[in-house]
């Protein structure tokens, strides 16, 4: 079976670990958000692609929740002495190996999708990673800082300010001119199942879907589309997606996010939706709206719980397709 | 007194340590060779400037003879896993701090001379470092490899092959179009003393002198020009400069190198020359050729011996100017 997952960083990584375990003989492809990417210290940084690559390779720092395990920061200390980079955004030594390799290839004119192929070839990941686009689309956040509007790079807002400054809107210059990376539209068109990982619905999944051609490809896809709620009991599982949802006027609830994606039968994208048991009350409402919804434990505590969720998404996909469409 | 030193990497660094000690209240400027510079792993590497910066800052590895003290190679191991860079050219973690900072500034369009000002501002070096040029001039070596001509980057020939493949000639594309960096011609014109450090006469000093305008500026300079022999007793002190001299048809001897630079009174560059005691036999010959020559211990074992040599160069400068010109 061909399974295509739309994914952001950490939530996407955990879900993909589960999908790999749940579907070991299937062809799993991940279309990964690149909206958090940036240039820093002359290096191209791709946080979501790296989080997923490291997690699937088993070299991620599970305790800290990001970056490489056994990481050190000797280079960063040097950069700080020269005032290069952002003091609040760590470039670990091991991590820099990827940043430098990636940047050297990009500077040679090699597209990001090929760069990702080269980087991921180092490990048997079991999932093919594809950047959503080879084009540079960065996310900026216009915030209100004591009543004054300021434009921040998404990473500055997210990592430096922990999304504490209220976001007025997101801006993604270049998005309208960007194209899906090679293979992305095909991976949507030829899939037997499409899953929206429990990632940030606005800046991760929203950015992938906003790339010209992707929403239409999803709507035209033969495969059922199943989403996994990133909201449990009215709160984000991890990160600060609630601040992003608020900025676009969507309530932080499993139901609201599902309705934000929309029922495929009503011009939206979802055939099915996995909500947490804590949000079971929304199941009937969403079913009435045309989204086959199942409630289950959605906390991805380890690979086993992630695999159970992935299995449920696969199950709902086959059920959802026949029941809803 | 304004003292301007033309310098290559390690020999230049040792000499400048001595000059700083010998002339602590003088204004010492170093015009540093950039002919060994290169792009590697998407980073701009400037070996000679770094060797001198680290030595003057006291953060160099005196035991190993190059790079930073306390260096590690965690990033390099990552790069090697991805096949990025040259396995035989180490990019140390601390060293990478300089490479990444430099490259990020160069990519912003900041000229190398300003980049050097920013990098060196971190420490009170006591010597102002100037790249010979802001333009990218790289040195290639055409070698004979089993009778077949091959073109290698200088660093490949020097570091990977230890200059063991016979060099047929050096090529420096872009040299004729390059310009001296801002301040370089002024540092020659307004100097009270110009010293040619005991660096590689071909690829270090030769490259500086070959930049359009520099040879003429040296010939027109009001200051005496004193050279320090990089050859002791018919052998190079360090490195493989003999292989470079052979390639340009110059014998590996203190006398031949002095005559290669030439007597200023005969259209060359030298007013004075410091040779080692082992080469004292050449003193009369060189004096007859118009180069005031003094023999002394030229081994730069430590800062004290380097300072003695620098002092002798200063002394010979004042003497040489009146006696020769």
């Amino acid at each position: 079976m061909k399974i295509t997952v739309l994914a952001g960083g950490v939530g996407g990584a955990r879900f993909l670990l589960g999908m790999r375990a749940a579907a070991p003989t299937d062809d799993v492809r991940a279309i990964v958000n690149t909206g958090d990417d940036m240039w820093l210290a002359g290096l191209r940084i791709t946080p979501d692609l790296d989080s997923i690559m490291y997690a699937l390779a088993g070299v991620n720092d599970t305790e800290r929740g990001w970056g490489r395990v056994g990481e050190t920061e000797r280079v960063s200390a040097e950069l700080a002495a020269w005032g290069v980079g952002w003091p609040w955004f760590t470039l670990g030594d091991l991590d820099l190996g990827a940043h430098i390799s990636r940047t050297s290839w990009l500077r040679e004119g090699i597209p990001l999708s090929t760069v990702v192929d080269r980087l991921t070839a180092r490990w048997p990941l079991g999932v093919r990673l594809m950047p959503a686009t080879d084009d540079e689309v960065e996310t900026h956040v216009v915030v209100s800082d004591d009543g004054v509007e300021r434009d921040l790079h998404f990473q500055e807002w997210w990592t430096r300010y922990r999304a504490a400054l209220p976001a007025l809107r997101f801006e993604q210059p270049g998005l309208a001119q960007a194209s899906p990376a090679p293979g992305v539209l095909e991976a949507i068109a030829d899939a037997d199942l499409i899953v929206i990982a429990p990632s940030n619905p606005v800046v991760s999944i929203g950015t992938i879907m906003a790339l010209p051609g992707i929403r239409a490809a999803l709507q035209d896809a033969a495969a059922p589309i199943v989403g996994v709620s990133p909201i449990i009991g009215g709160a984000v599982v991890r990160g600060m997606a609630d601040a992003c949802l608020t900025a676009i006027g969507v309530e932080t609830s499993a139901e609201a996010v599902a309705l934000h994606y929309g029922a495929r039968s009503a011009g939206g994208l979802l055939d099915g939706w996995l909500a947490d048991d804590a949000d079971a009350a929304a199941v009937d409402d969403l079913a009435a709206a045309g989204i086959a919804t199942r409630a289950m434990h959605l906390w991805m505590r380890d690979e086993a719980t992630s695999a159970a969720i992935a299995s449920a998404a696969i199950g709902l996909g086959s059920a959802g397709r026949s029941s809803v469409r």
Side-chain angles (χ1 to χ4, degrees), chain A residues 241-284:
Chain A
D242 48 343
C244 301
L245 287 167
T246 302
I248 64 163
V250 173
E251 190 193 331
T252 301
S253 75
E255 187 171 356
V257 171
L259 294 173
H260 170 62
Y261 288 147
R264 210 164 170 194
S265 53
L269 297 169
L270 293 178
D271 294 297
W273 185 243
L274 286 182
D276 188 79
D277 285 332
D279 303 300
V283 169
D284 288 345

Side-chain angles (χ1 to χ4, degrees), chain A residues 104-188:
Chain A
S104 74
W105 290 326
L106 290 173
R107 295 285 194 192
E108 287 173 26
I110 296 167
L112 180 61
S113 47
T114 307
V115 167
V116 169
D117 288 342
R118 289 190 183 187
L119 288 172
T120 55
R122 180 172 168 187
W123 298 284
L125 298 189
V127 175
R128 174 153 184 231
L129 303 192
M130 289 180 284
T133 177
D134 279 344
D135 300 317
E136 289 186 13
V137 176
E138 301 199 349
T139 304
H140 289 255
V141 189
V142 179
V143 299
S144 171
D145 189 0
D146 276 337
V148 180
E149 286 198 9
R150 279 175 65 198
D151 182 299
L152 303 176
H153 187 282
F154 174 75
Q155 287 294 351
E156 191 171 10
W157 179 65
W158 191 254
T159 305
R160 183 179 190 184
Y161 294 109
R162 308 296 301 160
L165 295 172
L168 301 176
R169 60 187 179 277
F170 298 98
E171 291 181 353
Q172 297 179 299
L175 185 70
Q177 291 76 44
S179 308
V184 164
L185 295 181
E186 294 76 359
I188 293 171

Side-chain angles (χ1 to χ4, degrees), chain A residues 9-19 51-52 55 62 65 198 237-238 299-303 306-307:
Chain A
V10 178
R14 291 196 184 187
F15 181 75
L16 285 165
L17 281 174
M19 183 57 87
S51 291
I52 294 175
T62 50
V237 173
R238 205 198 136 75
W299 283 95
M300 297 187 289
R301 276 192 191 77
D302 49 29
E303 195 172 298
S306 296

